[in-house]
Amino acid sequence: MVVAILLLGLLLHGSPAHAANYTVGDSSGWTFYVAGWENGKNFKAGDTLGPKSTRPPKPGATGPKTGSARIFKCIFHALVGLGSKTRVFKYSPTAHDVVVVDKSSYDSCSVPANATTYNSGNDEISLRKGANYFICSIPGHCQPGRMKIAANAA
């Protein structure tokens, strides 16, 4: 009965239990010449751009959950709307930032007055459906082929 209720809740929630996580720039992170990193990736709305967790496993951890424990964890996350998120753009906050911009600002490497700027070095940003544009606003960093990405999410 409990399983049936949990499954019903999962179906009514209407979103996938786990969004995909992407490490922007892979092992190099959000840094120079990251432009093009997004090419060939199939992003979906709700996916999170960010590094894999570098935290060590908790004491006593036995690795990935399997079987019913994994299913329960996925259902729980779907029901409470947590998805599967990690930190997003990984970079040195004293050297870079991440700014969410529109297509025109992306193309011109300019920051509009109403742009959202992140500067923690571990920013979590979920992709919205459609085009998502990100640049570094530090002068000279965004110029063509440098610190900018355009992620299109289905």
mmCIF file of all heavy atoms in Angstrom, residues 64-94:
data_model
loop_
_atom_site.group_PDB
_atom_site.id
_atom_site.type_symbol
_atom_site.label_atom_id
_atom_site.label_comp_id
_atom_site.label_asym_id
_atom_site.label_seq_id
_atom_site.Cartn_x
_atom_site.Cartn_y
_atom_site.Cartn_z
ATOM 1 N N PRO A 64 27.122 3.369 -4.160
ATOM 2 C CA PRO A 64 25.803 3.689 -4.684
ATOM 3 C C PRO A 64 24.738 2.739 -4.162
ATOM 4 O O PRO A 64 24.986 1.552 -3.984
ATOM 5 C CB PRO A 64 25.958 3.533 -6.200
ATOM 6 C CG PRO A 64 27.417 3.558 -6.453
ATOM 7 C CD PRO A 64 28.082 3.064 -5.201
ATOM 8 N N LYS A 65 23.561 3.267 -3.932
ATOM 9 C CA LYS A 65 22.451 2.459 -3.475
ATOM 10 C C LYS A 65 21.906 1.664 -4.651
ATOM 11 O O LYS A 65 21.909 2.104 -5.780
ATOM 12 C CB LYS A 65 21.357 3.337 -2.880
ATOM 13 C CG LYS A 65 21.820 4.090 -1.648
ATOM 14 C CD LYS A 65 20.650 4.545 -0.839
ATOM 15 C CE LYS A 65 21.032 5.307 0.398
ATOM 16 N NZ LYS A 65 22.056 4.790 1.193
ATOM 17 N N THR A 66 21.450 0.458 -4.367
ATOM 18 C CA THR A 66 20.875 -0.369 -5.410
ATOM 19 C C THR A 66 19.523 -0.885 -4.960
ATOM 20 O O THR A 66 19.152 -0.776 -3.798
ATOM 21 C CB THR A 66 21.790 -1.577 -5.720
ATOM 22 O OG1 THR A 66 21.971 -2.318 -4.509
ATOM 23 C CG2 THR A 66 23.135 -1.134 -6.250
ATOM 24 N N GLY A 67 18.814 -1.474 -5.867
ATOM 25 C CA GLY A 67 17.557 -2.122 -5.551
ATOM 26 C C GLY A 67 16.534 -1.194 -4.931
ATOM 27 O O GLY A 67 16.386 -0.051 -5.340
ATOM 28 N N SER A 68 15.834 -1.692 -3.911
ATOM 29 C CA SER A 68 14.731 -0.933 -3.313
ATOM 30 C C SER A 68 15.213 0.346 -2.636
ATOM 31 O O SER A 68 14.496 1.337 -2.608
ATOM 32 C CB SER A 68 13.957 -1.810 -2.327
ATOM 33 O OG SER A 68 14.806 -2.238 -1.278
ATOM 34 N N ALA A 69 16.427 0.361 -2.090
ATOM 35 C CA ALA A 69 16.928 1.581 -1.442
ATOM 36 C C ALA A 69 17.074 2.695 -2.477
ATOM 37 O O ALA A 69 16.729 3.845 -2.220
ATOM 38 C CB ALA A 69 18.271 1.310 -0.762
ATOM 39 N N ARG A 70 17.559 2.364 -3.657
ATOM 40 C CA ARG A 70 17.709 3.364 -4.718
ATOM 41 C C ARG A 70 16.344 3.840 -5.214
ATOM 42 O O ARG A 70 16.129 5.016 -5.437
ATOM 43 C CB ARG A 70 18.517 2.781 -5.866
ATOM 44 C CG ARG A 70 18.747 3.784 -6.963
ATOM 45 C CD ARG A 70 19.639 3.242 -8.032
ATOM 46 N NE ARG A 70 19.845 4.291 -9.019
ATOM 47 C CZ ARG A 70 20.440 4.102 -10.156
ATOM 48 N NH1 ARG A 70 20.923 2.924 -10.460
ATOM 49 N NH2 ARG A 70 20.584 5.087 -11.004
ATOM 50 N N ILE A 71 15.432 2.914 -5.402
ATOM 51 C CA ILE A 71 14.083 3.279 -5.846
ATOM 52 C C ILE A 71 13.433 4.202 -4.837
ATOM 53 O O ILE A 71 12.851 5.221 -5.191
ATOM 54 C CB ILE A 71 13.231 2.014 -6.084
ATOM 55 C CG1 ILE A 71 13.778 1.245 -7.290
ATOM 56 C CG2 ILE A 71 11.761 2.379 -6.299
ATOM 57 C CD1 ILE A 71 13.202 -0.146 -7.441
ATOM 58 N N PHE A 72 13.544 3.863 -3.548
ATOM 59 C CA PHE A 72 12.947 4.716 -2.517
ATOM 60 C C PHE A 72 13.564 6.106 -2.549
ATOM 61 O O PHE A 72 12.859 7.108 -2.475
ATOM 62 C CB PHE A 72 13.126 4.101 -1.128
ATOM 63 C CG PHE A 72 12.578 4.983 -0.051
ATOM 64 C CD1 PHE A 72 11.215 5.042 0.177
ATOM 65 C CD2 PHE A 72 13.423 5.773 0.710
ATOM 66 C CE1 PHE A 72 10.703 5.871 1.151
ATOM 67 C CE2 PHE A 72 12.918 6.606 1.678
ATOM 68 C CZ PHE A 72 11.551 6.654 1.909
ATOM 69 N N LYS A 73 14.885 6.197 -2.696
ATOM 70 C CA LYS A 73 15.547 7.494 -2.735
ATOM 71 C C LYS A 73 15.052 8.322 -3.918
ATOM 72 O O LYS A 73 14.767 9.503 -3.791
ATOM 73 C CB LYS A 73 17.065 7.314 -2.821
ATOM 74 C CG LYS A 73 17.820 8.624 -2.836
ATOM 75 C CD LYS A 73 19.314 8.387 -2.881
ATOM 76 C CE LYS A 73 20.045 9.716 -2.945
ATOM 77 N NZ LYS A 73 21.476 9.542 -3.084
ATOM 78 N N CYS A 74 14.899 7.705 -5.096
ATOM 79 C CA CYS A 74 14.409 8.424 -6.278
ATOM 80 C C CYS A 74 12.983 8.909 -6.070
ATOM 81 O O CYS A 74 12.646 10.032 -6.410
ATOM 82 C CB CYS A 74 14.483 7.532 -7.512
ATOM 83 S SG CYS A 74 16.171 7.252 -8.074
ATOM 84 N N ILE A 75 12.143 8.058 -5.502
ATOM 85 C CA ILE A 75 10.756 8.450 -5.248
ATOM 86 C C ILE A 75 10.716 9.584 -4.241
ATOM 87 O O ILE A 75 10.006 10.569 -4.425
ATOM 88 C CB ILE A 75 9.926 7.238 -4.779
ATOM 89 C CG1 ILE A 75 9.758 6.247 -5.931
ATOM 90 C CG2 ILE A 75 8.562 7.685 -4.256
ATOM 91 C CD1 ILE A 75 9.160 4.923 -5.522
ATOM 92 N N PHE A 76 11.511 9.477 -3.179
ATOM 93 C CA PHE A 76 11.538 10.535 -2.164
ATOM 94 C C PHE A 76 11.939 11.872 -2.779
ATOM 95 O O PHE A 76 11.293 12.882 -2.570
ATOM 96 C CB PHE A 76 12.510 10.161 -1.034
ATOM 97 C CG PHE A 76 12.699 11.263 -0.053
ATOM 98 C CD1 PHE A 76 11.742 11.512 0.918
ATOM 99 C CD2 PHE A 76 13.824 12.071 -0.097
ATOM 100 C CE1 PHE A 76 11.901 12.540 1.829
ATOM 101 C CE2 PHE A 76 13.992 13.103 0.797
ATOM 102 C CZ PHE A 76 13.025 13.336 1.770
ATOM 103 N N HIS A 77 12.989 11.860 -3.567
ATOM 104 C CA HIS A 77 13.446 13.103 -4.196
ATOM 105 C C HIS A 77 12.396 13.675 -5.134
ATOM 106 O O HIS A 77 12.211 14.879 -5.200
ATOM 107 C CB HIS A 77 14.762 12.877 -4.941
ATOM 108 C CG HIS A 77 15.942 12.838 -4.037
ATOM 109 N ND1 HIS A 77 16.841 13.869 -3.934
ATOM 110 C CD2 HIS A 77 16.369 11.892 -3.164
ATOM 111 C CE1 HIS A 77 17.767 13.553 -3.048
ATOM 112 N NE2 HIS A 77 17.496 12.362 -2.574
ATOM 113 N N ALA A 78 11.701 12.836 -5.863
ATOM 114 C CA ALA A 78 10.652 13.318 -6.764
ATOM 115 C C ALA A 78 9.508 13.941 -5.974
ATOM 116 O O ALA A 78 8.981 14.976 -6.342
ATOM 117 C CB ALA A 78 10.128 12.171 -7.621
ATOM 118 N N LEU A 79 9.139 13.303 -4.875
ATOM 119 C CA LEU A 79 8.015 13.802 -4.094
ATOM 120 C C LEU A 79 8.310 15.128 -3.418
ATOM 121 O O LEU A 79 7.444 15.984 -3.314
ATOM 122 C CB LEU A 79 7.597 12.767 -3.036
ATOM 123 C CG LEU A 79 6.964 11.496 -3.602
ATOM 124 C CD1 LEU A 79 6.724 10.500 -2.485
ATOM 125 C CD2 LEU A 79 5.671 11.815 -4.325
ATOM 126 N N VAL A 80 9.521 15.325 -2.957
ATOM 127 C CA VAL A 80 9.833 16.573 -2.270
ATOM 128 C C VAL A 80 10.439 17.607 -3.201
ATOM 129 O O VAL A 80 10.739 18.714 -2.797
ATOM 130 C CB VAL A 80 10.762 16.353 -1.052
ATOM 131 C CG1 VAL A 80 10.090 15.479 -0.022
ATOM 132 C CG2 VAL A 80 12.092 15.765 -1.465
ATOM 133 N N GLY A 81 10.602 17.256 -4.472
ATOM 134 C CA GLY A 81 11.049 18.229 -5.470
ATOM 135 C C GLY A 81 12.526 18.560 -5.405
ATOM 136 O O GLY A 81 12.951 19.608 -5.862
ATOM 137 N N LEU A 82 13.337 17.666 -4.863
ATOM 138 C CA LEU A 82 14.759 17.966 -4.741
ATOM 139 C C LEU A 82 15.514 17.711 -6.037
ATOM 140 O O LEU A 82 16.499 18.371 -6.308
ATOM 141 C CB LEU A 82 15.387 17.122 -3.624
ATOM 142 C CG LEU A 82 14.892 17.435 -2.223
ATOM 143 C CD1 LEU A 82 15.544 16.482 -1.228
ATOM 144 C CD2 LEU A 82 15.195 18.869 -1.851
ATOM 145 N N GLY A 83 15.088 16.741 -6.806
ATOM 146 C CA GLY A 83 15.833 16.385 -8.002
ATOM 147 C C GLY A 83 17.214 15.911 -7.611
ATOM 148 O O GLY A 83 17.440 15.507 -6.495
ATOM 149 N N SER A 84 18.154 15.994 -8.517
ATOM 150 C CA SER A 84 19.523 15.582 -8.243
ATOM 151 C C SER A 84 20.443 16.735 -8.585
ATOM 152 O O SER A 84 20.806 16.919 -9.719
ATOM 153 C CB SER A 84 19.861 14.350 -9.084
ATOM 154 O OG SER A 84 21.199 13.985 -8.898
ATOM 155 N N LYS A 85 20.766 17.540 -7.589
ATOM 156 C CA LYS A 85 21.552 18.741 -7.860
ATOM 157 C C LYS A 85 22.890 18.698 -7.144
ATOM 158 O O LYS A 85 23.016 18.154 -6.073
ATOM 159 C CB LYS A 85 20.792 19.986 -7.416
ATOM 160 C CG LYS A 85 19.553 20.239 -8.227
ATOM 161 C CD LYS A 85 18.920 21.534 -7.834
ATOM 162 C CE LYS A 85 17.730 21.813 -8.715
ATOM 163 N NZ LYS A 85 17.124 23.092 -8.419
ATOM 164 N N THR A 86 23.860 19.347 -7.785
ATOM 165 C CA THR A 86 25.154 19.541 -7.163
ATOM 166 C C THR A 86 25.488 21.013 -7.300
ATOM 167 O O THR A 86 24.716 21.791 -7.836
ATOM 168 C CB THR A 86 26.240 18.705 -7.874
ATOM 169 O OG1 THR A 86 26.303 19.093 -9.233
ATOM 170 C CG2 THR A 86 25.962 17.227 -7.753
ATOM 171 N N ARG A 87 26.658 21.378 -6.821
ATOM 172 C CA ARG A 87 27.088 22.763 -7.033
ATOM 173 C C ARG A 87 27.218 23.001 -8.519
ATOM 174 O O ARG A 87 27.516 22.089 -9.264
ATOM 175 C CB ARG A 87 28.437 22.983 -6.350
ATOM 176 C CG ARG A 87 28.330 22.887 -4.842
ATOM 177 C CD ARG A 87 29.675 22.882 -4.213
ATOM 178 N NE ARG A 87 30.278 21.574 -4.468
ATOM 179 C CZ ARG A 87 31.548 21.316 -4.388
ATOM 180 N NH1 ARG A 87 32.393 22.260 -4.055
ATOM 181 N NH2 ARG A 87 32.009 20.130 -4.619
ATOM 182 N N VAL A 88 27.045 24.255 -8.937
ATOM 183 C CA VAL A 88 27.000 24.494 -10.380
ATOM 184 C C VAL A 88 28.348 24.900 -10.936
ATOM 185 O O VAL A 88 29.241 24.116 -10.991
ATOM 186 C CB VAL A 88 25.900 25.505 -10.726
ATOM 187 C CG1 VAL A 88 25.889 25.848 -12.188
ATOM 188 C CG2 VAL A 88 24.578 24.896 -10.371
ATOM 189 N N PHE A 89 28.492 26.114 -11.339
ATOM 190 C CA PHE A 89 29.738 26.555 -11.938
ATOM 191 C C PHE A 89 30.816 26.582 -10.863
ATOM 192 O O PHE A 89 30.654 27.214 -9.838
ATOM 193 C CB PHE A 89 29.565 27.951 -12.541
ATOM 194 C CG PHE A 89 28.695 27.979 -13.760
ATOM 195 C CD1 PHE A 89 27.323 27.870 -13.654
ATOM 196 C CD2 PHE A 89 29.256 28.120 -15.018
ATOM 197 C CE1 PHE A 89 26.521 27.907 -14.777
ATOM 198 C CE2 PHE A 89 28.455 28.166 -16.149
ATOM 199 C CZ PHE A 89 27.092 28.045 -16.026
ATOM 200 N N LYS A 90 31.927 25.905 -11.108
ATOM 201 C CA LYS A 90 33.028 25.817 -10.152
ATOM 202 C C LYS A 90 34.168 26.685 -10.672
ATOM 203 O O LYS A 90 34.673 26.466 -11.766
ATOM 204 C CB LYS A 90 33.467 24.362 -10.022
ATOM 205 C CG LYS A 90 34.627 24.145 -9.108
ATOM 206 C CD LYS A 90 34.223 24.246 -7.671
ATOM 207 C CE LYS A 90 35.367 23.815 -6.782
ATOM 208 N NZ LYS A 90 35.169 24.215 -5.420
ATOM 209 N N TYR A 91 34.559 27.699 -9.873
ATOM 210 C CA TYR A 91 35.595 28.637 -10.313
ATOM 211 C C TYR A 91 36.120 29.400 -9.097
ATOM 212 O O TYR A 91 35.568 29.328 -8.004
ATOM 213 C CB TYR A 91 35.022 29.619 -11.341
ATOM 214 C CG TYR A 91 33.839 30.403 -10.812
ATOM 215 C CD1 TYR A 91 33.997 31.657 -10.232
ATOM 216 C CD2 TYR A 91 32.565 29.864 -10.852
ATOM 217 C CE1 TYR A 91 32.916 32.360 -9.719
ATOM 218 C CE2 TYR A 91 31.473 30.562 -10.350
ATOM 219 C CZ TYR A 91 31.657 31.806 -9.787
ATOM 220 O OH TYR A 91 30.587 32.489 -9.279
ATOM 221 N N SER A 92 37.174 30.144 -9.299
ATOM 222 C CA SER A 92 37.718 30.992 -8.245
ATOM 223 C C SER A 92 36.890 32.281 -8.197
ATOM 224 O O SER A 92 36.881 33.048 -9.166
ATOM 225 C CB SER A 92 39.181 31.333 -8.537
ATOM 226 O OG SER A 92 39.608 32.350 -7.643
ATOM 227 N N PRO A 93 36.205 32.563 -7.078
ATOM 228 C CA PRO A 93 35.372 33.769 -7.005
ATOM 229 C C PRO A 93 36.178 35.066 -7.015
ATOM 230 O O PRO A 93 35.617 36.131 -7.253
ATOM 231 C CB PRO A 93 34.599 33.597 -5.695
ATOM 232 C CG PRO A 93 35.412 32.655 -4.886
ATOM 233 C CD PRO A 93 36.135 31.766 -5.860
ATOM 234 N N THR A 94 37.475 34.994 -6.802
ATOM 235 C CA THR A 94 38.291 36.208 -6.885
ATOM 236 C C THR A 94 38.724 36.497 -8.321
ATOM 237 O O THR A 94 39.225 37.578 -8.605
ATOM 238 C CB THR A 94 39.542 36.092 -5.999
ATOM 239 O OG1 THR A 94 40.314 34.965 -6.420
ATOM 240 C CG2 THR A 94 39.155 35.935 -4.531
#
